Amino acid sequence: MNETSVMPPAMILCGGRGTRLRDVTELLPKPMVPIGEQPILWHIMHIYAAFGVRRFILCLGYKRECFIDYFMNFHAHRSDVTITLGSSANQVRFHDNIPEEGWEVTLADTGIDTKTGGRVAIAAKYLRPEEPEFFLTYGDGVADIDLAALLALHRREGKLLTVSAVHPEGRFGEIQISGDTVSNFEEKPVQAGGFINGGFMVMKREFVKRHLTGEDAFLEQRPMLEAAQEGNIAAYRHESFWQCMDTPREYALLNHLWETGRAPWTKFWKHA
């Protein structure tokens, strides 16, 4: 396989409890909370699919059965179906093709209370030998990000990790950037005036071996801080739309944008 000819797989962190969206996530894990008729996870996967990603590794934990049910019955929920009943001839025929034809989705059980770094380390066993790098993101944020440009910068800079730097509200981990290199990482400063890590990262497998072994750690704490201090994190500046779904207000905003046909994160989609 030529490294530049096939897009890396996308690993998506889906195991958290989503406590700040408690009214909704008591019934559903946050990545399964719907925007329109489909969960936000589906929207995130389509952001990647628009750039040719066809392989996904989902790091599951809280309410993992919701993801299993959704993907096991994915085609049935998107198509008219004819079912022939009977013990000897139980057959299912789908009448419609789906845009997601050919997607490969690995549902990886990474534990109920495992921290984000531990989830990546566990799910990394599903990376193939010919995959030296992979996309990595959270299961609760969307953006109109140019993933081809992100990957190109990652390969050009040669760092172990490339993060997408976005402008936030002031309650996330702030990153300091010098040129295209992250020089420091501070989790949740009191006031944020610059960039934060918006997810949509590219990680080399070497990062997992060097920073995510032997300890169940939050990716955003010791592992990223160590890599930043080593000069091993690059930053891709994304100045356009980015939005997480962390509160009821943000949940309502994303649904309003979708329902009114003004969802910026579909910018690169070939279909909506």
Side-chain angles (χ1 to χ4, degrees):
M1 177 187 296
N2 186 310
E3 180 180 288
T4 60
S5 63
V6 177
M7 291 295 276
M11 185 182 294
I12 306 177
L13 293 161
C14 299
R17 297 178 183 270
T19 54
R20 284 190 290 262
L21 203 60
R22 189 180 301 278
D23 288 348
V24 181
T25 57
E26 284 182 355
L27 299 175
L28 293 169
K30 188 157 62 165
M32 293 301 294
V33 172
I35 298 176
E37 295 183 352
Q38 296 296 332
I40 189 172
L41 174 62
W42 176 89
H43 293 261
I44 295 168
M45 294 170 79
H46 269 276
I47 292 170
Y48 282 98
F51 288 89
V53 175
R54 290 294 179 270
R55 207 162 83 77
F56 301 90
I57 302 170
L58 308 186
C59 302
L60 306 184
Y62 177 65
K63 292 186 180 293
R64 62 184 286 265
E65 67 277 2
C66 293
F67 299 90
I68 295 170
D69 292 344
Y70 176 76
F71 286 102
M72 289 293 290
N73 297 292
F74 189 90
H75 203 161
H77 286 298
R78 304 294 303 279
S79 171
D80 291 344
V81 183
T82 295
I83 304 171
T84 303
L85 303 178
S87 59
S88 62
N90 195 1
Q91 298 178 351
V92 177
R93 181 160 57 97
F94 300 107
H95 294 276
D96 303 295
N97 294 324
I98 56 172
E100 299 82 5
E101 187 75 32
W103 287 14
E104 178 186 305
V105 183
T106 298
L107 306 174
D109 182 5
T110 58
I112 294 294
D113 296 315
T114 310
K115 300 176 181 66
T116 48
R119 294 191 191 281
V120 174
I122 292 169
K125 65 185 177 183
Y126 293 108
L127 296 170
R128 294 169 179 164
E130 69 272 19
E131 293 170 339
E133 63 202 356
F134 57 98
F135 288 110
L136 173 66
T137 197
Y138 303 102
D140 63 353
V142 290
D144 61 348
I145 186 168
D146 186 335
L147 292 171
L150 167 66
L151 182 60
L153 182 138
H154 172 76
R155 289 174 171 171
R156 183 170 67 248
E157 293 294 319
K159 309 290 188 182
L160 294 185
L161 177 66
T162 299
V163 300
S164 56
V166 302
H167 293 293
E169 298 176 3
R171 54 188 173 83
F172 299 97
E174 186 169 328
I175 56 180
Q176 297 174 13
I177 305 173
S178 176
D180 287 324
T181 298
V182 174
S183 58
N184 194 25
F185 190 92
E186 179 183 0
E187 189 190 21
K188 298 183 180 179
V190 176
Q191 289 184 330
F195 290 97
I196 63 161
N197 174 20
F200 298 99
M201 299 170 273
V202 188
M203 180 178 286
K204 287 187 177 181
R205 295 177 71 155
E206 186 181 344
F207 185 101
V208 179
K209 295 176 182 177
R210 184 180 300 187
H211 295 291
L212 299 180
T213 57
E215 179 184 352
D216 179 20
F218 285 108
L219 173 66
E220 305 79 6
Q221 295 180 356
R222 177 194 55 78
M224 288 185 68
L225 178 60
E226 286 181 355
Q229 290 173 342
E230 295 171 358
N232 251 321
I233 303 182
Y236 173 80
R237 289 175 171 83
H238 177 64
E239 303 281 358
S240 189
F241 177 85
W242 173 87
Q243 181 61 59
C244 66
M245 188 179 67
D246 215 24
T247 66
R249 180 185 66 82
E250 293 162 347
Y251 166 66
L253 169 64
L254 291 173
N255 271 280
H256 175 72
L257 291 172
W258 178 261
E259 290 163 3
T260 57
R262 297 184 292 117
W265 62 90
T266 66
K267 176 180 178 180
F268 295 102
W269 292 20
K270 297 176 178 61
H271 50 78

